[in-house]
Amino acid sequence: MSEKDDGKVRLDKWLWAARFYKTRALAKAAIEGGKVHCRGERCKPSKEPKVGEELVVRAGFDERTVVVRALSAVRKGAPEAQLLYEETADSLARRENAAAMRKAGTLGVETDGRPSKKQRRALQRFRSDAE
């Protein structure tokens, strides 16, 4: 596979080459699922990203805001892939903060387990009063 001379590349191919997703099929599914936004709008897998354009890419728990720095349709090693984009400072700070919160366990709801018989009766009374 060789890179086109006209400098045009599909968005799903670019996301795969930049190593945001392991396969092109996963990149295409993410784009169609609304996980990739360009200029605040959903986009199609066939969209052609341009240098300087800002993309918001969600993968797993992470949401990255990146600026396209170079185009490539060829998947290379991670150091070369990181040269294709630049993550914004705000995005990097948000991701680090979210990772710290996940690590600390403050993101989920903490419970003491199942409710006791007394707590269960109080819940049932509360629910019946609400109706």
Side-chain angles (χ1 to χ4, degrees):
M1 180 190 321
S2 65
E3 196 171 345
K4 293 181 181 178
D5 294 329
D6 58 1
K8 292 183 179 180
V9 63
R10 290 171 54 104
L11 181 60
D12 59 346
K13 219 175 206 186
W14 185 85
L15 288 169
W16 168 75
R19 295 182 167 261
F20 285 104
Y21 300 100
K22 285 187 176 187
T23 64
R24 236 180 109 185
L26 287 175
K28 182 180 179 207
I31 294 168
E32 289 173 346
K35 306 259 188 278
V36 179
H37 289 83
C38 179
R39 290 188 231 117
E41 297 179 357
R42 290 176 67 164
C43 44
K44 294 183 178 181
S46 61
K47 182 189 180 336
E48 295 174 354
K50 294 172 179 53
V51 175
E53 213 165 43
E54 193 171 280
L55 300 173
V56 177
V57 181
R58 271 189 282 147
F61 290 115
D62 297 332
E63 181 175 299
R64 300 175 183 213
T65 304
V66 297
V67 178
V68 177
R69 290 292 172 218
L71 300 177
S72 176
V74 181
R75 188 172 170 106
K76 296 180 183 175
E80 291 90 3
Q82 289 176 348
L83 298 175
L84 297 178
Y85 64 91
E86 180 183 337
E87 188 171 4
T88 62
D90 183 43
S91 170
L92 193 58
R94 276 188 282 124
R95 277 193 321 115
E96 288 174 353
N97 186 26
M101 286 178 65
R102 281 196 307 272
K103 188 174 181 181
T106 58
L107 198 58
V109 176
E110 294 186 26
T111 63
D112 294 332
R114 293 175 56 184
S116 67
K117 191 171 184 179
K118 184 177 180 182
Q119 292 169 334
R120 198 167 34 252
R121 286 181 180 153
L123 282 171
Q124 289 171 348
R125 268 195 310 275
F126 176 75
R127 288 182 182 147
S128 66
D129 290 344
E131 293 174 356

